Amino acid sequence: MGGGVERPAGEGGTAQALRRELGAFLRSRRERLSPAELGLPVAPRRRTPGLRRGEVADLAGISGSWYAWLEQGRVRTSEQVLRSVARALRLDEAETAHVLSFTEDPAPAGEPPGWVSRNLLSLVESVSPNPAAVIDPHWDLLAWNAGYAALLTDPARLPPKRRNLPWLVFRWAPARSLIVNWEIEARYLLGQFRANAARHPADRRYAEIVAEITQDADAARWYGERETAIYRPAVRHFRHPTAGELRLRYVKLAAVDEPGHHLLCYLPDDRDAEAAVRRLTGGG
């Protein structure tokens, strides 16, 4: 598993930016580990935060120079090597998935449409009064129903650039009281968003969103820590000013006929939530 299988990459600016992002992420994870955690000897007056590059290389079974080039963004490498590095750095499932995403072809398959089809719009409306919306790859809100507008805020009242899920969570002030366990939910959402944005370093819309949400001190700190997450179905708890307590199952579905678009839906988790959802839109 030495460096002989891999080759230095000669792609353009986007590929170089991706390699730099991967290298920075690996470095951040290396620096958070201590030798003692891995049973390695700790020398007196050790100045390196976390593990040394050579120690990671030894644990991963690759050459020290190749690992150094990997952190410096100078080479592309195989899934096999990245899996070994992930194990050496004790990465969790989400972090490992993030690292492995850098082995994929960064060339986009095509831009998703900026509109929502009649079929998808009909689906969003058909699940009412349950809140539902459609987002694009930037998590910009393209369509929503009355339940979604009542649960959060009506995106139509916001400037187009702020019709964005991360913006609502971090920059729309009522979110912190509306979303129970706001910090946990916000960090989880930001981790998913960051993993997506990291794969598109030249995308201006991602850059705009990051610039907006990192005006929030919490978002700036967590984004700088390079936290990542993967989507998991979950029950989310809201404390709504008029509908009261809602426990809603969060469902996210990919639109096969509209690549890049996802349907988000909040389904009641119990009878109390069913009644609360009806109260959202004045239905009971």
Side-chain angles (χ1 to χ4, degrees), residues 18-19 22 25 39 50 57 73 80 85 113 123 141 150 160 165 169 181 186 192 196 214 216 226-227 236 240 248:
L18 285 169
R19 291 196 297 272
L22 172 60
F25 182 77
Q80 182 184 15
V85 171
L123 182 58
L141 291 154
L165 194 52
V169 170
N181 300 320
Q192 293 178 73
N196 291 345
T214 52
D216 175 85
R226 299 181 181 274
E227 294 189 358
R236 296 193 170 161
H240 196 271
L248 304 175

Side-chain angles (χ1 to χ4, degrees), residues 42 51 53 63 81 134 136 146 153 168 176 192 200 220 244-245 257 261 275:
V42 181
L51 298 182
R53 285 174 173 168
S63 73
V81 168
V134 177
D136 70 5
T153 189
L168 284 173
R176 293 182 183 242
Q192 293 178 73
H200 301 88
E245 303 280 333
D257 57 343
H261 290 175

Side-chain angles (χ1 to χ4, degrees), residues 18-281:
L18 285 169
R19 291 196 297 272
R20 288 195 297 270
E21 173 63 27
L22 172 60
F25 182 77
L26 294 176
R27 183 172 63 253
S28 72
R29 272 34 194 173
R30 172 173 61 83
E31 291 176 349
R32 75 179 181 180
L33 285 175
S34 69
E37 288 180 80
L38 303 181
L40 299 174
V42 181
R45 299 179 182 177
R46 182 185 177 102
R47 296 181 179 178
T48 303
L51 298 182
R52 295 190 175 101
R53 285 174 173 168
E55 290 169 335
V56 176
D58 289 343
L59 290 169
I62 61 177
S63 73
S65 59
W66 193 262
Y67 180 76
W69 293 340
L70 189 59
E71 276 200 8
Q72 292 164 3
R74 296 172 55 188
V75 292
R76 61 181 298 179
T77 193
S78 67
E79 178 180 336
Q80 182 184 15
V81 168
L82 289 180
R83 284 191 181 277
S84 296
V85 171
R87 286 192 294 269
L89 292 174
R90 303 287 179 89
L91 301 188
D92 63 22
E93 182 184 2
E95 292 168 333
T96 299
H98 181 59
V99 166
L100 294 180
S101 74
F102 288 89
T103 63
E104 300 172 4
D105 183 358
E111 289 297 319
W115 45 267
V116 178
S117 70
R118 180 181 178 186
N119 286 342
L120 202 50
L121 283 172
S122 297
L123 182 58
V124 169
E125 289 300 329
S126 71
V127 299
S128 294
N130 298 319
V134 177
I135 60 171
D136 70 5
H138 304 107
W139 296 16
D140 284 328
L141 291 154
L142 302 180
W144 52 89
N145 63 13
Y148 190 91
L151 176 64
L152 296 167
T153 189
D154 188 351
R157 298 178 179 177
L158 299 172
K161 292 291 187 180
R162 293 184 175 180
R163 297 172 189 171
N164 176 268
L165 194 52
W167 188 91
L168 284 173
V169 170
F170 285 99
R171 300 298 310 282
W172 182 60
R176 293 182 183 242
S177 57
L178 173 68
I179 302 172
V180 179
N181 300 320
W182 178 88
E183 180 174 338
I184 295 172
E185 296 286 359
R187 293 182 78 151
Y188 176 65
L189 178 141
L190 187 64
Q192 293 178 73
F193 181 78
R194 197 192 195 292
N196 291 345
R199 292 287 301 147
H200 301 88
D203 190 304
R204 292 183 180 178
R205 180 56 184 148
Y206 275 119
E208 286 177 352
I209 297 166
V210 171
E212 276 280 335
I213 62 177
T214 52
Q215 292 182 40
D216 175 85
D218 290 320
R221 184 172 70 257
W222 298 333
Y223 206 87
E225 292 171 358
R226 299 181 181 274
E227 294 189 358
T228 61
I230 55 177
Y231 168 75
R232 297 183 189 279
V235 175
R236 296 193 170 161
H237 187 185
F238 296 88
R239 186 170 291 120
H240 196 271
T242 58
E245 303 280 333
L246 299 94
R247 290 180 58 82
L248 304 175
R249 284 181 284 120
Y250 180 65
V251 179
K252 183 178 182 181
L253 303 175
V256 176
D257 57 343
E258 295 179 35
H261 290 175
H262 286 83
L263 171 70
L264 310 181
C265 189
Y266 291 93
L267 304 175
D269 192 50
D270 51 40
R271 290 188 179 277
D272 289 342
E274 289 179 5
V277 164
R278 288 194 296 270
R279 289 196 296 272
L280 278 175
T281 53

